[in-house]
Amino acid sequence: MESFMKKQSIQLIVNGRKEILEISSNLTLLHLLREVLTLTGTKNGCEAGECGACTVLLNGEPVNSCMILGVECDGANVLTVEGLAENGSLSKLQQAFIDQNAIQCGFCTPGMLISAYALLQRNPNPTNQEIREALVGNLCRCTGYERIITAVFSSAQE
Amino acid sequence: MLNPNTRMPKFSYIKPESIRQASEFLELNSGQSYPFLGGTDLLIALRDKKLKPKYLVDLKHLDHLNVLTFDSAKSLIIGAAVTLNRLIESEDVQKYYPVLVQGAREVGSYQLRTRATLIGNLCNASPCGDMIATSMVYKGIVNIIGTYGSKSVELESFFTGPGETILKPGEIVVSLSLPISPSRAKGIYLSIGRNKLADLAIAAVTVLAYPDETAFSGFRFLIALSAVAPTVIFVEEAQSLLSDKPIEIATLKKAALIAKNHCKPIDDIRASKKYRQEMIHSLTLRALIAVWEDLQKN
């Protein structure tokens, strides 16, 4: 097994692109994305798994990337907010956030989008309550949530 | 690249090829190594410097730990690496162990439940752990592997204090077994936090009740309290009352008062002792009324 603090080599797919990296054991997925891959869309909010600003998809499921080590992601498939656009155009969900004025400072938005995207993947027609429950782990200090929920709901209706 | 890890201590990540290899490594490096699954409590402890292991041993990739099987004649086996979301989505668990699902739904957020595990919640042994009481009312049995072989321990004997279990270095919990739940059992898990969202429980009550002809009242009740003692506690006096006396609203109220007087909460950062006692009183009464009404529907 590995000797102490030796860097480890991992391979993962991020937004459809294969990455081969040498990283320290204590580098979280959040910092791997932001600092190593310079994908700064994913935000560092609380680093305690509470605010959801760092939410990404790991093998299709939403996770708090601040709570995961990069070395745990060897062989994994990661989707960040940068990967939501389709062929250079904003996705339906992203456009809905704009159309519904669901963004103020924008800091929670990447995490909100990923959590909402994951919800719509597993439940294409969520109720208002189901949207609220799915977004429990994404905190917003600006909007009061109503327009975010409306954006997700309207995106599902289209 | 800037060094972003000012809060994370240095450690090596170990990915063993088998449970036996993991157990031997943990025993050999006792005091310097730590096993983990979802890591949702661990990473916080690392950043807060409460834990400073030299080695972190990842177990969740081991096949044996990912089993989730139900045999209607025997039991439910929940592997250590089974996440809470997976548990919640299991139709067998929803049908036969609904209180377990209620407890799991209270844990954190969807993102956290993608990683958090029931076994991790048990091994963390927090007095407010949502999965502890909800597993205890179903008489859970913890299955452990060590370098000596294996053993099984009743969940009620597993916890020795806040954050403490009977586990010794090298011992790994591989699964939790739950025997078939009592026929026509009804139950509920009620907790209160500082907000309605993903907070830890300030106080929580788990009630499971089922028809039993050997009881004077015709019913047996299990009442477990969380976050108000060093470990989860059962209110035996209230349980006896509800089996030995005819059940009516006055009996339920008396049982709830017994629960309030039985708990031993402390003042801490999340709530005061007095608040917790009052919440236990209220939650117990609500839980008993809800379960009693459910039992009578049958």
Side-chain angles (χ1 to χ4, degrees):
Chain A
M1 290 188 275
E2 302 296 331
S3 56
F4 185 63
M5 278 307 292
K6 183 180 168 186
K7 286 205 174 185
Q8 293 186 319
S9 176
I10 65 166
Q11 290 188 44
L12 69 166
I13 296 173
V14 181
N15 297 334
R17 179 177 154 147
K18 186 175 178 180
E19 306 284 353
I20 301 172
L21 305 170
E22 294 274 326
I23 59 170
S24 300
S25 296
N26 63 352
L27 184 74
T28 61
L29 177 60
L30 171 63
H31 290 299
L32 183 159
L33 293 169
R34 289 183 56 83
E35 311 291 338
V36 177
L37 298 179
T38 61
L39 292 169
T40 53
T42 306
K43 305 304 182 193
N44 184 352
C46 68
E47 274 198 303
E50 295 191 14
C51 75
C54 67
T55 305
V56 300
L57 287 195
L58 180 67
N59 298 326
E61 289 290 330
V63 295
N64 296 311
S65 58
C66 69
M67 301 295 281
I68 296 176
L69 303 174
V71 288
E72 293 181 84
C73 301
D74 189 24
N77 197 323
V78 177
L79 182 74
T80 72
V81 65
E82 289 93 342
L84 287 179
E86 297 151 5
N87 299 317
S89 300
L90 293 178
S91 70
K92 206 166 57 169
L93 180 63
Q94 288 170 305
Q95 190 60 47
F97 267 60
I98 294 170
D99 295 343
Q100 298 295 334
N101 294 315
I103 306 161
Q104 290 191 29
C105 80
F107 202 80
C108 76
T109 306
M112 286 285 184
L113 283 168
I114 292 291
S115 281
Y117 175 81
L119 168 66
L120 295 176
Q121 292 290 106
R122 63 181 186 267
N123 181 358
N125 289 297
T127 62
N128 192 291
Q129 183 61 29
E130 286 169 334
I131 295 171
R132 288 174 184 274
E133 286 176 2
L135 299 183
V136 157
N138 293 86
L139 303 184
C140 174
R141 296 292 283 131
C142 299
T143 66
Y145 300 99
E146 288 300 328
R147 290 176 190 265
I148 293 172
I149 293 161
T150 301
V152 178
F153 193 77
S154 71
S155 170
Q157 299 304 305
E158 288 173 18
Chain B
M1 179 184 88
L2 293 173
N3 177 9
N5 293 314
T6 53
R7 293 177 62 205
M8 283 289 267
K10 293 182 179 178
F11 54 82
S12 278
Y13 171 79
I14 307 296
K15 196 168 179 180
E17 294 175 2
S18 67
I19 296 172
R20 181 162 188 85
Q21 190 181 59
S23 181
E24 287 171 354
F25 185 90
L26 288 164
E27 189 174 88
L28 188 67
N29 294 281
S30 163
Q32 298 185 90
S33 62
Y34 207 82
F36 79 107
L37 297 160
T40 52
D41 287 311
L42 175 72
L43 261 70
I44 294 175
L46 290 174
R47 286 198 183 97
D48 289 347
K49 308 289 193 292
K50 287 178 182 170
L51 286 175
K52 296 177 186 177
K54 196 173 171 185
Y55 306 103
L56 286 187
V57 182
D58 192 355
L59 302 175
K60 58 183 165 291
H61 57 286
L62 298 170
D63 285 342
H64 191 65
L65 303 189
N66 281 280
V67 297
L68 178 62
T69 59
F70 176 68
D71 180 332
S72 60
K74 294 179 185 174
S75 65
L76 176 71
I77 310 280
I78 305 170
V82 172
T83 64
L84 293 181
N85 272 346
R86 191 172 159 210
L87 198 72
I88 290 166
E89 289 159 10
S90 162
E91 289 181 1
D92 288 329
V93 181
Q94 289 171 20
K95 183 176 178 183
Y96 295 104
Y97 306 91
V99 177
L100 205 63
V101 173
Q102 289 180 39
R105 285 193 192 281
E106 293 298 318
V107 176
S109 60
Y110 191 92
Q111 293 98 307
L112 280 177
R113 294 193 298 270
T114 300
R115 304 291 285 181
T117 62
L118 183 152
I119 297 300
N121 198 258
L122 298 182
C123 292
N124 191 50
S126 166
C128 62
D130 296 295
M131 304 312 298
I132 298 178
T134 51
S135 299
M136 273 182 161
V137 294
Y138 288 117
K139 307 292 186 191
I141 295 170
V142 182
N143 302 307
I144 299 166
I145 285 181
T147 53
Y148 51 81
S150 65
K151 68 180 182 185
S152 294
V153 173
E154 289 180 351
L155 198 51
E156 284 192 51
S157 308
F158 184 68
F159 305 98
T160 57
E164 296 172 1
T165 68
I166 59 161
L167 291 175
K168 294 185 175 52
E171 288 187 328
I172 297 170
V173 176
V174 295
S175 64
L176 181 76
S177 304
L178 298 183
I180 298 300
S181 53
S183 176
R184 293 178 288 144
K186 301 294 177 188
I188 197 168
Y189 175 69
L190 291 180
S191 68
I192 189 165
R194 287 166 295 180
N195 55 51
K196 283 187 179 179
L197 303 179
D199 199 19
L200 301 169
I202 291 171
V205 177
T206 310
V207 172
L208 188 74
Y210 53 93
D212 186 342
E213 291 176 352
T214 66
F216 178 84
S217 69
F219 298 91
R220 297 272 176 207
F221 278 74
L222 291 169
I223 305 170
L225 309 181
S226 306
V228 288
T231 62
V232 166
I233 52 175
F234 283 93
V235 192
E236 290 173 1
E237 186 184 341
Q239 292 170 180
S240 297
L241 175 75
L242 293 168
S243 63
D244 297 344
K245 300 286 183 190
I247 298 176
E248 50 191 13
I249 190 66
T251 328
L252 301 181
K253 285 182 177 178
K254 191 171 178 184
L257 184 59
I258 293 170
K260 175 188 172 182
N261 294 329
H262 184 72
C263 67
K264 307 174 184 66
I266 59 172
D267 295 316
D268 73 7
I269 194 172
R270 284 191 288 276
S272 69
K273 173 181 172 179
K274 183 167 173 52
Y275 182 77
R276 287 182 151 119
Q277 285 171 325
E278 296 302 330
M279 289 304 103
I280 286 293
H281 192 189
S282 177
L283 290 174
T284 304
L285 183 58
R286 285 189 204 181
L288 290 174
I289 290 173
V291 171
W292 179 235
E293 286 177 352
D294 230 1
L295 283 171
Q296 292 185 297
K297 284 177 190 168
N298 282 351

